[in-house]
Amino acid sequence: MKFENEVTVEIDIVIDELRKNLEENGFKVVDEYDIKDIYLINKNTYRNKNYVELLKHCVLIRNIIEKHKETKMITYKYKEYGINNEIVKQGKVDCHIESVREAKELLKAIDYEELIHINDHLIIYANNIDEIAVQLVNNKHIYIEIEEECNYINKKYENIDSMINVFEKYNIPIKSKDYFVKKVEIEMKEILKF
């Protein structure tokens, strides 16, 4: 399992204002793609309103759709939380697959069922100093995620504080001082009725 730090915040401005802010700070779009996730859970898992706990029992079928290719995989995400609900350790395991349909059939055969769908449009911005992933989730929420290791510039953030500093450095308005927003938890609260 690969472990890596990241921070995620919800943005408090519309996408056009965010785009303008980033461009004024020297950011350019370096990539853009879509991720379609289907979260599945074993039918026998107790359903309560502790969505973070529920997510620990999920696997997801992920379809990454880029301009010239698609990547499909089954993914398990592992997260440990501190006393303030901050993420203290996280990792994931990916298993590449050929067919989303066949993966769903396999998981349903071992008593998994679909829990929630997340459609995520990602726009990756970078300047020579920082890299951020703007995420438009289910056409409702705008998030920014910063990963410890950059994919498009030669940089690795030293620690969580150095990632958090990016929002202050570029005056990016965020909804709260929660730097570990759980996107799927927010969607689950809005969509699931149990």
Side-chain angles (χ1 to χ4, degrees), residues 79-99:
K79 295 187 182 192
E80 289 180 22
Y81 299 94
I83 55 173
N84 296 320
N85 219 17
E86 78 279 12
I87 299 170
V88 294
K89 186 176 184 182
Q90 63 184 334
K92 69 178 180 175
V93 177
D94 295 321
C95 174
H96 290 271
I97 59 173
E98 295 294 320
S99 165

Side-chain angles (χ1 to χ4, degrees), residues 32 64-71:
E32 193 166 351
I64 302 171
I65 304 163
E66 300 172 273
K67 278 185 182 174
H68 303 292
K69 70 174 184 172
E70 283 189 42
T71 306

Side-chain angles (χ1 to χ4, degrees), residues 7 20 27 31 44 46 49 76-77 81-82 116 130 140 142 157 159 165 168:
V7 295
K20 183 179 178 199
F27 283 90
D31 203 357
N44 298 318
Y46 175 68
K49 294 203 179 206
Y76 172 71
K77 293 185 175 187
Y81 299 94
I116 190 170
D130 293 297
K140 295 186 290 185
I142 304 169
Y157 290 95
N159 52 40
N165 184 50
E168 295 167 8

Side-chain angles (χ1 to χ4, degrees), residues 21-181:
N21 174 304
L22 294 173
E23 288 171 357
E24 288 172 354
N25 283 292
F27 283 90
K28 293 184 177 11
V29 175
V30 294
D31 203 357
E32 193 166 351
Y33 56 94
D34 292 297
I35 298 178
K36 296 181 182 290
D37 286 337
I38 303 168
Y39 282 76
L40 297 103
I41 192 164
N42 188 283
K43 291 177 183 178
N44 298 318
T45 303
Y46 175 68
R47 310 296 169 91
N48 61 24
K49 294 203 179 206
N50 183 341
Y51 298 106
V52 173
E53 184 62 33
L54 200 59
L55 284 170
K56 290 180 183 179
H57 302 282
C58 289
V59 294
L60 59 123
I61 299 172
R62 172 167 279 181
N63 189 9
I64 302 171
I65 304 163
E66 300 172 273
K67 278 185 182 174
H68 303 292
K69 70 174 184 172
E70 283 189 42
T71 306
K72 301 171 190 81
M73 61 189 75
I74 296 175
T75 298
Y76 172 71
K77 293 185 175 187
Y78 172 81
K79 295 187 182 192
E80 289 180 22
Y81 299 94
I83 55 173
N84 296 320
N85 219 17
E86 78 279 12
I87 299 170
V88 294
K89 186 176 184 182
Q90 63 184 334
K92 69 178 180 175
V93 177
D94 295 321
C95 174
H96 290 271
I97 59 173
E98 295 294 320
S99 165
V100 168
R101 181 187 56 76
E102 288 176 359
K104 282 187 347 188
E105 286 177 13
L106 171 69
L107 289 167
K108 286 180 179 180
I110 57 172
D111 285 336
Y112 276 74
E113 62 185 358
E114 293 181 32
L115 184 65
I116 190 170
H117 289 238
I118 302 290
N119 296 316
D120 198 353
H121 181 72
L122 282 89
I123 308 166
I124 313 301
Y125 285 90
N127 56 21
N128 293 329
I129 303 164
D130 293 297
E131 177 181 306
I132 64 173
V134 175
Q135 302 178 340
L136 290 77
V137 175
N138 285 354
N139 292 318
K140 295 186 290 185
H141 300 279
I142 304 169
Y143 301 96
I144 289 180
E145 186 175 275
I146 299 174
E147 294 182 346
E148 179 179 11
E149 194 158 339
C150 297
N151 294 307
Y152 298 89
I153 62 173
N154 185 22
K155 180 172 185 167
K156 182 173 182 175
Y157 290 95
E158 296 174 17
N159 52 40
I160 295 289
D161 288 336
S162 65
M163 290 182 267
I164 290 172
N165 184 50
V166 172
F167 302 103
E168 295 167 8
K169 184 184 347 179
Y170 300 111
N171 296 314
I172 299 171
I174 59 177
K175 283 201 173 178
S176 68
K177 292 292 183 188
D178 183 358
Y179 296 100
F180 302 98
V181 170

